[in-house]
Amino acid sequence: KEMTIGEKMQQVETAMGFKLREWQKNYIVYGSKALMPAGRQNGRTTAHILRLLLTSTEPIYTGNVVPDEWHGHNYVEWYRREVRKIHEKLVVAGIPVQEIREGRE
């Protein structure tokens, strides 16, 4: 039996260790930015990474991963580490995600 969207989001919340906000769920599943808040530390980057990992249909090459926002070169490297870290959490939880490969495609 295929999981419902609600069940999948619940599984993701368990893997991440916190509850996702409604706007994050809508963005992850549908790509809707309608209710996305402005400002820093609102969960936009986490939602962006989860959407990338949960909706990609091809392997994800770390060198091709583009952050959701530009905050300098250090941010790009931090963002790519976050992608790997969140990917690992989802894999450990048994959530199907695309393979992460180092470098560029």
Side-chain angles (χ1 to χ4, degrees):
K1 174 188 162 217
E2 195 170 319
M3 268 192 278
T4 66
I5 292 169
E7 290 169 337
K8 190 167 196 166
M9 289 297 102
Q10 227 172 13
Q11 197 178 22
V12 168
E13 288 174 335
T14 300
M16 296 298 292
F18 58 84
K19 294 276 185 202
L20 295 168
R21 298 179 187 127
E22 279 306 307
W23 72 262
Q24 287 175 307
K25 294 175 191 177
N26 284 326
Y27 176 71
I28 293 164
V29 175
Y30 306 110
S32 170
K33 294 183 177 183
L35 301 173
M36 192 178 277
R40 301 285 306 267
Q41 298 187 332
N42 281 317
R44 287 192 318 266
T45 298
T46 299
H48 190 263
I49 291 171
L50 285 168
R51 179 168 171 73
L52 169 72
L53 294 172
L54 294 168
T55 63
S56 291
T57 58
E58 300 288 327
I60 300 164
Y61 288 84
T62 57
N64 295 347
V65 170
V66 178
D68 55 332
E69 298 176 356
W70 178 254
H71 299 292
H73 293 288
N74 289 337
Y75 183 76
V76 173
E77 288 309 311
W78 174 85
Y79 184 89
R80 290 174 178 165
R81 283 192 305 273
E82 283 298 298
V83 168
R84 288 184 204 96
K85 194 163 75 177
I86 292 173
H87 180 270
E88 181 65 21
K89 287 180 181 185
L90 298 178
V91 168
V92 167
I95 299 169
V97 288
Q98 282 295 325
E99 172 188 4
I100 293 274
R101 296 181 183 169
E102 295 303 315
R104 295 188 175 276
E105 183 176 27

